[in-house]
Amino acid sequence: MRVLCCVKRVPAPGAKINVTADGLAVDAAHLGFTTSPHEECGVEEAVQIAERTGGEVTVLTLGPAEAAEQLRYAASVGAHLGVLVSTDGAAWDPQRTARALTAAIESLEAGSGAFDLILFGNESADSGGFQVGVRVAYALGRPIVNGIKGIEVDGPVVRARREIDGGFEVYEMDLPAALGVKEGINLPRYPTMRGRLASKKLEITTLVLDAAGGDQALVRLHRPTETVSQTVILGDGPDAAPAAVDVLEELGLV
Amino acid sequence: MLLVVLEHDRGTLGEPAREALTFGRTLAAKMGVEMHALAIGAGAPATEQVAAASGDHGAARLYTVDHDLLSDFGPEAWGQSLVQVINTLQPGAVLACGSERGNEVMAQAAARLDWPFVANCTDIIPPAGGGGQWSMTRIQWGGSLLEDATLTTGTALLTCGLHTVASAPVEPAPVAPPETQAVAVELDAALARTVVKDRVVLEAGVTLPTAPVVVGGGRGVGSAEGFAPLEELAELLGGRVGCSRAVTNNGWRPHSDQVGQTGTRIAPEIYIASGISGAIQHWVGAMGSKHILAINIDPEANMVVKANWAVIGDLHQVIPAISAEIRRRRDRP
């Protein structure tokens, strides 16, 4: 089975996120980069499916040349092929991103046939547009369901679980299909030394293609106004329990 | 007209729909238009409860789409229905709540129309004079950063961030439910492919997103077994246990208990956050809480600084003491 997983390179912020002077990007001068969390789980899921079905995993990213780092990371945990749609590194709006990814997937599929399953992260950790996967799947004519935290491939059918309040929903689709996955679907493995070495040899296919921009434009990023809370310290250790229970009682909970 | 897409579960309107209507009232006023609501479903989706609740929250009119394919939620069938309703009614903007389903349905409609869609807005300014450019502030990084954006479009497709506003009915309450009007749609039978096939209920009663009290534990809890006193306190208060990402990464709790950007966004009356430093990824899931009580050995911890109240100390001693004190007071004659 051939599985494609789309990933996004995002900064790995610490306790605070700073913005560049022009307000157009996260100041990543002192930050490392990582794979957006839902997508890291997507790669793990793709690798597990390929292991079970004797298949192949392709990882696709759209970003600057440095995003090759995230493709190599995916290879170090078991992905087989890496494809980079290179940009100048500026943030692309969701419509433009989706158009470029669609064109990239169409070109990959024209070469080696349709992917049986395409995995997206439910939303990216940074811009969080909640739409790129849906747009790409629709343009490719594939069904897609988001919010997926369980996947079971059974011959030509994929069953997917989505968490709801107090339980889960089950969806069932014929392949080929696409799914938007969420963290919690699995616990991603760490790369082995052997995996790391193998990832250095990954041949990355670079596609240069542009796409028409969408109608949403970034003006500036800023931090929300911090609500400065005057924390009332109720006391130290277990002796503070009565004061804590007074608070709960005031809220009508005791 | 501003059209609000109502999120409901087989005829029961939930909190996200009330939030969208509350947010939508302000937006409709800025646009200078009426707010109408849309219920998509099968077999009279505008149940009495849906009609009454949408009217109570300010919808002047209620449209319904009733189709056999819509007997349960299906992102493609809902998205396609919304597209046809938009084509029929030509609203000035369409708004849903930025819940998992809300964002998904709007993305499905936007993909079909090849229109832009701006998710998780916290503030929206419609174009002056009816045409041109929208301005909005929207959530990035789960709420750690905000983005000011512009949108050039005819009909704007928008969601408001979950818990951006607290839902509130209009006052005085309307005397009668809104007038209801059916809108016919034609759906390709193939769209049944993404309609919910089955549901599995794992737990009844209070769940993490709706719990009035959440007792959260972080790395400071130390182990899976360490959560027993938190469970006990949560049960005493009719609440649920939540946890940070460090906890699920260590395998101490299931991911469904995780509060945070990649987990659940909670909005309880009080969040008792114990042994949680308050990293941004966790904070954005907890910031919808009405009150926060932090329990931490570090008085400088981010969670302590942001809390309403704090107890400085070891949660393994403080939490059992709180439970004991609650029992003592309840047993008082």
PDB file of all heavy atoms in Angstrom, chain A residues 178-202:
ATOM      1  N   ALA A 178      -8.403  10.165   1.911  1.00  0.00           N
ATOM      2  CA  ALA A 178      -7.511  11.049   2.668  1.00  0.00           C
ATOM      3  C   ALA A 178      -8.075  11.221   4.073  1.00  0.00           C
ATOM      4  O   ALA A 178      -9.287  11.125   4.282  1.00  0.00           O
ATOM      5  CB  ALA A 178      -7.396  12.401   1.966  1.00  0.00           C
ATOM      6  N   LEU A 179      -7.201  11.463   5.038  1.00  0.00           N
ATOM      7  CA  LEU A 179      -7.631  11.655   6.422  1.00  0.00           C
ATOM      8  C   LEU A 179      -6.818  12.767   7.061  1.00  0.00           C
ATOM      9  O   LEU A 179      -5.621  12.913   6.788  1.00  0.00           O
ATOM     10  CB  LEU A 179      -7.435  10.359   7.235  1.00  0.00           C
ATOM     11  CG  LEU A 179      -8.281   9.153   6.803  1.00  0.00           C
ATOM     12  CD1 LEU A 179      -7.778   7.885   7.486  1.00  0.00           C
ATOM     13  CD2 LEU A 179      -9.755   9.381   7.133  1.00  0.00           C
ATOM     14  N   GLY A 180      -7.461  13.555   7.907  1.00  0.00           N
ATOM     15  CA  GLY A 180      -6.767  14.559   8.717  1.00  0.00           C
ATOM     16  C   GLY A 180      -6.585  13.972  10.103  1.00  0.00           C
ATOM     17  O   GLY A 180      -7.574  13.708  10.782  1.00  0.00           O
ATOM     18  N   VAL A 181      -5.341  13.739  10.524  1.00  0.00           N
ATOM     19  CA  VAL A 181      -5.114  13.022  11.786  1.00  0.00           C
ATOM     20  C   VAL A 181      -4.727  13.989  12.904  1.00  0.00           C
ATOM     21  O   VAL A 181      -4.256  15.093  12.670  1.00  0.00           O
ATOM     22  CB  VAL A 181      -4.039  11.923  11.640  1.00  0.00           C
ATOM     23  CG1 VAL A 181      -4.417  10.954  10.541  1.00  0.00           C
ATOM     24  CG2 VAL A 181      -2.657  12.524  11.387  1.00  0.00           C
ATOM     25  N   LYS A 182      -4.928  13.516  14.120  1.00  0.00           N
ATOM     26  CA  LYS A 182      -4.605  14.322  15.300  1.00  0.00           C
ATOM     27  C   LYS A 182      -3.618  13.585  16.194  1.00  0.00           C
ATOM     28  O   LYS A 182      -3.580  12.351  16.236  1.00  0.00           O
ATOM     29  CB  LYS A 182      -5.874  14.602  16.111  1.00  0.00           C
ATOM     30  CG  LYS A 182      -6.804  15.565  15.426  1.00  0.00           C
ATOM     31  CD  LYS A 182      -7.972  15.923  16.298  1.00  0.00           C
ATOM     32  CE  LYS A 182      -7.607  16.956  17.348  1.00  0.00           C
ATOM     33  NZ  LYS A 182      -8.810  17.488  18.024  1.00  0.00           N
ATOM     34  N   GLU A 183      -2.855  14.392  16.928  1.00  0.00           N
ATOM     35  CA  GLU A 183      -1.971  13.836  17.944  1.00  0.00           C
ATOM     36  C   GLU A 183      -2.788  12.933  18.858  1.00  0.00           C
ATOM     37  O   GLU A 183      -3.944  13.236  19.158  1.00  0.00           O
ATOM     38  CB  GLU A 183      -1.373  14.982  18.762  1.00  0.00           C
ATOM     39  CG  GLU A 183      -0.340  14.533  19.764  1.00  0.00           C
ATOM     40  CD  GLU A 183       0.128  15.705  20.624  1.00  0.00           C
ATOM     41  OE1 GLU A 183      -0.546  16.018  21.614  1.00  0.00           O
ATOM     42  OE2 GLU A 183       1.147  16.289  20.276  1.00  0.00           O
ATOM     43  N   GLY A 184      -2.186  11.838  19.313  1.00  0.00           N
ATOM     44  CA  GLY A 184      -2.909  10.896  20.158  1.00  0.00           C
ATOM     45  C   GLY A 184      -3.293   9.646  19.390  1.00  0.00           C
ATOM     46  O   GLY A 184      -3.636   8.625  19.968  1.00  0.00           O
ATOM     47  N   ILE A 185      -3.202   9.709  18.047  1.00  0.00           N
ATOM     48  CA  ILE A 185      -3.493   8.534  17.224  1.00  0.00           C
ATOM     49  C   ILE A 185      -2.446   7.455  17.498  1.00  0.00           C
ATOM     50  O   ILE A 185      -2.708   6.263  17.364  1.00  0.00           O
ATOM     51  CB  ILE A 185      -3.551   8.915  15.718  1.00  0.00           C
ATOM     52  CG1 ILE A 185      -4.068   7.755  14.873  1.00  0.00           C
ATOM     53  CG2 ILE A 185      -2.210   9.389  15.192  1.00  0.00           C
ATOM     54  CD1 ILE A 185      -4.354   8.122  13.423  1.00  0.00           C
ATOM     55  N   ASN A 186      -1.264   7.891  17.919  1.00  0.00           N
ATOM     56  CA  ASN A 186      -0.182   6.963  18.263  1.00  0.00           C
ATOM     57  C   ASN A 186       0.836   7.737  19.087  1.00  0.00           C
ATOM     58  O   ASN A 186       0.686   8.939  19.287  1.00  0.00           O
ATOM     59  CB  ASN A 186       0.462   6.387  16.997  1.00  0.00           C
ATOM     60  CG  ASN A 186       0.923   7.495  16.051  1.00  0.00           C
ATOM     61  OD1 ASN A 186       1.521   8.477  16.471  1.00  0.00           O
ATOM     62  ND2 ASN A 186       0.631   7.337  14.766  1.00  0.00           N
ATOM     63  N   LEU A 187       1.854   7.059  19.560  1.00  0.00           N
ATOM     64  CA  LEU A 187       2.962   7.722  20.231  1.00  0.00           C
ATOM     65  C   LEU A 187       4.158   7.558  19.296  1.00  0.00           C
ATOM     66  O   LEU A 187       4.674   6.451  19.155  1.00  0.00           O
ATOM     67  CB  LEU A 187       3.205   7.043  21.585  1.00  0.00           C
ATOM     68  CG  LEU A 187       3.783   7.900  22.708  1.00  0.00           C
ATOM     69  CD1 LEU A 187       3.042   9.212  22.887  1.00  0.00           C
ATOM     70  CD2 LEU A 187       3.757   7.108  24.009  1.00  0.00           C
ATOM     71  N   PRO A 188       4.574   8.639  18.605  1.00  0.00           N
ATOM     72  CA  PRO A 188       5.612   8.483  17.581  1.00  0.00           C
ATOM     73  C   PRO A 188       6.902   7.913  18.170  1.00  0.00           C
ATOM     74  O   PRO A 188       7.287   8.249  19.280  1.00  0.00           O
ATOM     75  CB  PRO A 188       5.846   9.919  17.087  1.00  0.00           C
ATOM     76  CG  PRO A 188       4.643  10.671  17.476  1.00  0.00           C
ATOM     77  CD  PRO A 188       4.116  10.026  18.724  1.00  0.00           C
ATOM     78  N   ARG A 189       7.534   7.042  17.401  1.00  0.00           N
ATOM     79  CA  ARG A 189       8.796   6.438  17.844  1.00  0.00           C
ATOM     80  C   ARG A 189       9.922   7.454  17.735  1.00  0.00           C
ATOM     81  O   ARG A 189       9.801   8.461  17.038  1.00  0.00           O
ATOM     82  CB  ARG A 189       9.108   5.217  16.980  1.00  0.00           C
ATOM     83  CG  ARG A 189       9.523   5.568  15.552  1.00  0.00           C
ATOM     84  CD  ARG A 189       9.557   4.355  14.648  1.00  0.00           C
ATOM     85  NE  ARG A 189       8.187   3.907  14.338  1.00  0.00           N
ATOM     86  CZ  ARG A 189       7.915   2.828  13.609  1.00  0.00           C
ATOM     87  NH1 ARG A 189       8.896   2.079  13.120  1.00  0.00           N
ATOM     88  NH2 ARG A 189       6.673   2.491  13.355  1.00  0.00           N
ATOM     89  N   TYR A 190      11.004   7.186  18.441  1.00  0.00           N
ATOM     90  CA  TYR A 190      12.215   7.992  18.286  1.00  0.00           C
ATOM     91  C   TYR A 190      13.075   7.336  17.221  1.00  0.00           C
ATOM     92  O   TYR A 190      13.043   6.116  17.059  1.00  0.00           O
ATOM     93  CB  TYR A 190      12.980   8.067  19.608  1.00  0.00           C
ATOM     94  CG  TYR A 190      12.270   8.892  20.638  1.00  0.00           C
ATOM     95  CD1 TYR A 190      11.573   8.301  21.688  1.00  0.00           C
ATOM     96  CD2 TYR A 190      12.272  10.288  20.556  1.00  0.00           C
ATOM     97  CE1 TYR A 190      10.900   9.057  22.632  1.00  0.00           C
ATOM     98  CE2 TYR A 190      11.604  11.054  21.497  1.00  0.00           C
ATOM     99  CZ  TYR A 190      10.921  10.437  22.531  1.00  0.00           C
ATOM    100  OH  TYR A 190      10.250  11.202  23.456  1.00  0.00           O
ATOM    101  N   PRO A 191      13.856   8.146  16.493  1.00  0.00           N
ATOM    102  CA  PRO A 191      14.719   7.546  15.473  1.00  0.00           C
ATOM    103  C   PRO A 191      15.805   6.688  16.108  1.00  0.00           C
ATOM    104  O   PRO A 191      16.302   7.025  17.178  1.00  0.00           O
ATOM    105  CB  PRO A 191      15.345   8.757  14.768  1.00  0.00           C
ATOM    106  CG  PRO A 191      14.822   9.966  15.417  1.00  0.00           C
ATOM    107  CD  PRO A 191      13.971   9.597  16.573  1.00  0.00           C
ATOM    108  N   THR A 192      16.126   5.609  15.462  1.00  0.00           N
ATOM    109  CA  THR A 192      17.251   4.783  15.920  1.00  0.00           C
ATOM    110  C   THR A 192      18.515   5.335  15.259  1.00  0.00           C
ATOM    111  O   THR A 192      18.441   6.110  14.304  1.00  0.00           O
ATOM    112  CB  THR A 192      17.074   3.324  15.475  1.00  0.00           C
ATOM    113  OG1 THR A 192      16.953   3.323  14.041  1.00  0.00           O
ATOM    114  CG2 THR A 192      15.834   2.713  16.073  1.00  0.00           C
ATOM    115  N   MET A 193      19.669   4.916  15.763  1.00  0.00           N
ATOM    116  CA  MET A 193      20.929   5.346  15.161  1.00  0.00           C
ATOM    117  C   MET A 193      20.965   4.909  13.693  1.00  0.00           C
ATOM    118  O   MET A 193      21.365   5.665  12.813  1.00  0.00           O
ATOM    119  CB  MET A 193      22.089   4.730  15.950  1.00  0.00           C
ATOM    120  CG  MET A 193      23.446   5.230  15.540  1.00  0.00           C
ATOM    121  SD  MET A 193      23.545   7.043  15.509  1.00  0.00           S
ATOM    122  CE  MET A 193      23.647   7.395  17.259  1.00  0.00           C
ATOM    123  N   ARG A 194      20.487   3.690  13.456  1.00  0.00           N
ATOM    124  CA  ARG A 194      20.468   3.182  12.090  1.00  0.00           C
ATOM    125  C   ARG A 194      19.559   4.023  11.197  1.00  0.00           C
ATOM    126  O   ARG A 194      19.889   4.333  10.056  1.00  0.00           O
ATOM    127  CB  ARG A 194      19.979   1.728  12.125  1.00  0.00           C
ATOM    128  CG  ARG A 194      20.591   0.879  11.046  1.00  0.00           C
ATOM    129  CD  ARG A 194      20.301  -0.567  11.339  1.00  0.00           C
ATOM    130  NE  ARG A 194      19.722  -1.189  10.154  1.00  0.00           N
ATOM    131  CZ  ARG A 194      19.133  -2.369  10.169  1.00  0.00           C
ATOM    132  NH1 ARG A 194      19.007  -3.031  11.305  1.00  0.00           N
ATOM    133  NH2 ARG A 194      18.652  -2.882   9.070  1.00  0.00           N
ATOM    134  N   GLY A 195      18.414   4.410  11.775  1.00  0.00           N
ATOM    135  CA  GLY A 195      17.479   5.247  11.040  1.00  0.00           C
ATOM    136  C   GLY A 195      18.090   6.596  10.686  1.00  0.00           C
ATOM    137  O   GLY A 195      17.943   7.092   9.569  1.00  0.00           O
ATOM    138  N   ARG A 196      18.791   7.151  11.661  1.00  0.00           N
ATOM    139  CA  ARG A 196      19.440   8.445  11.420  1.00  0.00           C
ATOM    140  C   ARG A 196      20.444   8.354  10.283  1.00  0.00           C
ATOM    141  O   ARG A 196      20.528   9.243   9.434  1.00  0.00           O
ATOM    142  CB  ARG A 196      20.179   8.901  12.688  1.00  0.00           C
ATOM    143  CG  ARG A 196      19.303   9.598  13.685  1.00  0.00           C
ATOM    144  CD  ARG A 196      20.193  10.104  14.825  1.00  0.00           C
ATOM    145  NE  ARG A 196      19.471  10.133  16.080  1.00  0.00           N
ATOM    146  CZ  ARG A 196      18.638  11.108  16.427  1.00  0.00           C
ATOM    147  NH1 ARG A 196      18.417  12.105  15.607  1.00  0.00           N
ATOM    148  NH2 ARG A 196      18.029  11.065  17.586  1.00  0.00           N
ATOM    149  N   LEU A 197      21.236   7.297  10.306  1.00  0.00           N
ATOM    150  CA  LEU A 197      22.250   7.128   9.254  1.00  0.00           C
ATOM    151  C   LEU A 197      21.587   6.962   7.893  1.00  0.00           C
ATOM    152  O   LEU A 197      21.983   7.589   6.907  1.00  0.00           O
ATOM    153  CB  LEU A 197      23.137   5.916   9.569  1.00  0.00           C
ATOM    154  CG  LEU A 197      24.095   6.117  10.753  1.00  0.00           C
ATOM    155  CD1 LEU A 197      24.788   4.805  11.110  1.00  0.00           C
ATOM    156  CD2 LEU A 197      25.119   7.211  10.454  1.00  0.00           C
ATOM    157  N   ALA A 198      20.529   6.149   7.858  1.00  0.00           N
ATOM    158  CA  ALA A 198      19.825   5.908   6.590  1.00  0.00           C
ATOM    159  C   ALA A 198      19.210   7.208   6.059  1.00  0.00           C
ATOM    160  O   ALA A 198      19.195   7.452   4.852  1.00  0.00           O
ATOM    161  CB  ALA A 198      18.740   4.851   6.800  1.00  0.00           C
ATOM    162  N   SER A 199      18.743   8.057   6.969  1.00  0.00           N
ATOM    163  CA  SER A 199      18.052   9.278   6.540  1.00  0.00           C
ATOM    164  C   SER A 199      19.004  10.243   5.835  1.00  0.00           C
ATOM    165  O   SER A 199      18.581  11.062   5.027  1.00  0.00           O
ATOM    166  CB  SER A 199      17.394   9.960   7.734  1.00  0.00           C
ATOM    167  OG  SER A 199      18.367  10.591   8.535  1.00  0.00           O
ATOM    168  N   LYS A 200      20.287  10.127   6.156  1.00  0.00           N
ATOM    169  CA  LYS A 200      21.270  10.999   5.490  1.00  0.00           C
ATOM    170  C   LYS A 200      21.338  10.690   4.005  1.00  0.00           C
ATOM    171  O   LYS A 200      21.703  11.534   3.193  1.00  0.00           O
ATOM    172  CB  LYS A 200      22.651  10.816   6.123  1.00  0.00           C
ATOM    173  CG  LYS A 200      22.689  11.284   7.580  1.00  0.00           C
ATOM    174  CD  LYS A 200      24.070  11.800   7.967  1.00  0.00           C
ATOM    175  CE  LYS A 200      24.064  12.508   9.302  1.00  0.00           C
ATOM    176  NZ  LYS A 200      24.250  11.616  10.451  1.00  0.00           N
ATOM    177  N   LYS A 201      21.024   9.447   3.661  1.00  0.00           N
ATOM    178  CA  LYS A 201      21.120   9.030   2.256  1.00  0.00           C
ATOM    179  C   LYS A 201      19.812   9.248   1.501  1.00  0.00           C
ATOM    180  O   LYS A 201      19.723   8.937   0.309  1.00  0.00           O
ATOM    181  CB  LYS A 201      21.513   7.552   2.184  1.00  0.00           C
ATOM    182  CG  LYS A 201      22.904   7.288   2.740  1.00  0.00           C
ATOM    183  CD  LYS A 201      23.355   5.867   2.439  1.00  0.00           C
ATOM    184  CE  LYS A 201      24.575   5.502   3.239  1.00  0.00           C
ATOM    185  NZ  LYS A 201      24.332   4.346   4.122  1.00  0.00           N
ATOM    186  N   LEU A 202      18.775   9.737   2.206  1.00  0.00           N
ATOM    187  CA  LEU A 202      17.482   9.940   1.536  1.00  0.00           C
ATOM    188  C   LEU A 202      17.640  10.863   0.336  1.00  0.00           C
ATOM    189  O   LEU A 202      18.197  11.958   0.454  1.00  0.00           O
ATOM    190  CB  LEU A 202      16.483  10.566   2.528  1.00  0.00           C
ATOM    191  CG  LEU A 202      15.110  10.934   1.947  1.00  0.00           C
ATOM    192  CD1 LEU A 202      14.254   9.696   1.744  1.00  0.00           C
ATOM    193  CD2 LEU A 202      14.386  11.923   2.860  1.00  0.00           C
TER     194      LEU A 202
END
